[in-house]
């Protein structure tokens, strides 16, 4: 994409209420309320991969003790997450770390556009939360066997690996290789529908993510002394 073209994956848009029940906007409104009520050290934001994580034991075991908020909505694209964050979901909170996981639902966009959309969200987060560290989770492979969407997600991760370090506060955590054995076949024990994770699959993601978050949240000796004064 040339610098003059607008990246459609970086245009903030709410989800169209096709069903007519207002569910998506209701969830967004609830998240804004949670910002007023909670003081998270870690904010998770993204699509169903984020939303469903809190249903598993690994969430209660590794992440709940870190004072977290989970702002995941199933089906969200980079455009939807960008809109939510621009419209109230960052108000009144100052997390020390933000975990961003989105992009696999951007079916209409090229790998370069998706990576650009994720980068736009990361840029927004760094501008609104200048003291926070941003952890972008790489897109996971999808489909039982090698396919074009898998190749696209891998390409997105490759672009993010080179783009994110420029932001200073952001880094990529990519565990996608853990899900693809040498024969290229994903097993249902990791992804029950070859997209969404099982309890075992979430553990594969959660352990390195938890280690990284603990490292980010660990106070320096100077900070610890200051808090005791």
């Amino acid at each position: 994409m040339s610098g003059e073209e607008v990246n459609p994956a970086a245009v903030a848009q709410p989800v169209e209420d096709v069903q007519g029940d207002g569910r998506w906007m209701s969830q967004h409104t609830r998240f804004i309320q949670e910002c007023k009520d909670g003081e998270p050290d870690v904010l998770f934001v993204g699509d169903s991969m984020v939303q469903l994580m809190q249903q598993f034991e690994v969430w209660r075991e590794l992440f709940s003790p870190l004072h977290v908020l989970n702002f995941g909505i199933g089906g969200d694209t980079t455009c939807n997450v960008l809109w939510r964050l621009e419209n109230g979901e960052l108000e009144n909170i100052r997390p020390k770390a933000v975990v961003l996981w989105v992009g696999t639902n951007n079916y209409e966009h090229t790998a370069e556009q998706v990576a650009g959309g994720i980068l736009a969200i990361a840029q927004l987060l760094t501008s609104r939360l200048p003291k926070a560290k941003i952890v972008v989770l790489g897109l996971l492979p999808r489909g039982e066997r090698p396919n074009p969407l898998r190749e696209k997600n891998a390409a997105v991760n490759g672009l993010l690996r080179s783009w994110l370090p420029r932001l200073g506060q952001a880094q990529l955590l990519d565990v996608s290789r853990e899900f693809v054995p040498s024969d290229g076949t994903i097993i249902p024990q990791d992804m029950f529908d070859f997209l969404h994770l099982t309890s075992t699959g979430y553990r594969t993601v959660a352990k390195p993510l938890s280690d990284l978050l603990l490292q980010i949240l660990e106070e320096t000796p100077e900070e610890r002394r200051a808090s005791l004064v």
Side-chain angles (χ1 to χ4, degrees):
M1 290 185 304
S2 74
E4 296 178 5
E5 288 180 10
V6 174
N7 176 5
V11 177
Q13 287 182 330
V15 166
E16 186 182 352
D17 186 19
V18 178
Q19 284 82 20
D21 59 8
R23 271 182 307 134
W24 187 86
M25 194 59 72
S26 295
Q27 286 176 283
H28 169 61
T29 303
R30 178 169 59 84
F31 293 157
I32 294 175
Q33 186 59 47
E34 287 185 29
C35 288
K36 295 174 183 174
D37 299 337
E39 295 182 359
D41 285 333
V42 183
L43 172 66
F44 280 71
V45 65
D47 54 32
S48 62
M49 306 301 282
V50 170
Q51 183 181 27
L52 296 175
M53 191 186 297
Q54 61 189 336
Q55 296 181 7
F56 292 90
E57 181 61 33
V58 71
W59 177 267
R60 292 181 287 278
E61 182 185 317
L62 296 180
F63 299 122
S64 291
L66 303 182
H67 306 292
V68 294
L69 285 179
N70 184 313
F71 287 178
I73 300 182
D76 266 14
T77 65
T78 53
C79 305
N80 308 140
V81 169
L82 196 57
W83 189 92
R84 291 199 277 125
L85 295 179
E86 287 181 353
N87 288 274
E89 290 187 18
L90 294 178
E91 300 297 324
N92 305 305
I93 56 173
R94 292 293 175 267
K96 297 173 184 173
V98 180
V99 178
L100 173 64
W101 204 4
V102 71
T104 199
N105 294 320
N106 285 67
Y107 309 115
E108 300 174 359
H109 305 131
T110 66
E112 187 179 13
Q113 289 170 340
V114 177
I118 295 169
L119 184 68
I121 299 170
Q123 288 171 325
L124 175 69
L125 288 167
T126 56
S127 66
R128 295 279 184 92
L129 304 170
K131 293 183 178 178
K133 300 289 186 185
I134 316 301
V135 179
V136 177
L137 284 173
L139 302 186
L140 296 185
R142 47 187 297 160
E144 184 178 12
R145 295 181 177 85
N147 63 80
L149 279 177
R150 249 202 232 183
E151 294 170 15
K152 178 176 143 181
N153 283 4
V156 170
N157 292 344
L159 290 166
L160 291 173
R161 195 169 290 110
S162 61
W163 291 355
L164 285 173
R166 301 176 199 165
L167 295 182
Q169 292 166 243
Q171 60 184 299
L172 178 71
L173 178 61
D174 180 11
V175 297
S176 56
R177 290 177 185 164
E178 301 292 325
F179 291 91
V180 184
S182 55
D183 68 355
T185 303
I186 288 175
I187 58 172
Q189 286 86 345
D190 284 335
M191 296 182 183
F192 60 87
D193 59 355
F194 306 109
L195 170 63
H196 295 98
L197 296 172
T198 63
S199 176
T200 304
Y202 270 118
R203 283 206 173 270
T204 301
V205 176
K207 184 63 175 76
L209 176 58
S210 170
D211 291 344
L212 180 56
L213 289 175
L214 288 173
Q215 188 181 326
I216 291 171
L217 297 175
E218 195 173 55
E219 291 181 322
T220 64
E222 292 78 13
E223 288 171 331
R224 197 171 295 116
R225 278 198 294 271
S227 67
L228 294 174
V229 173

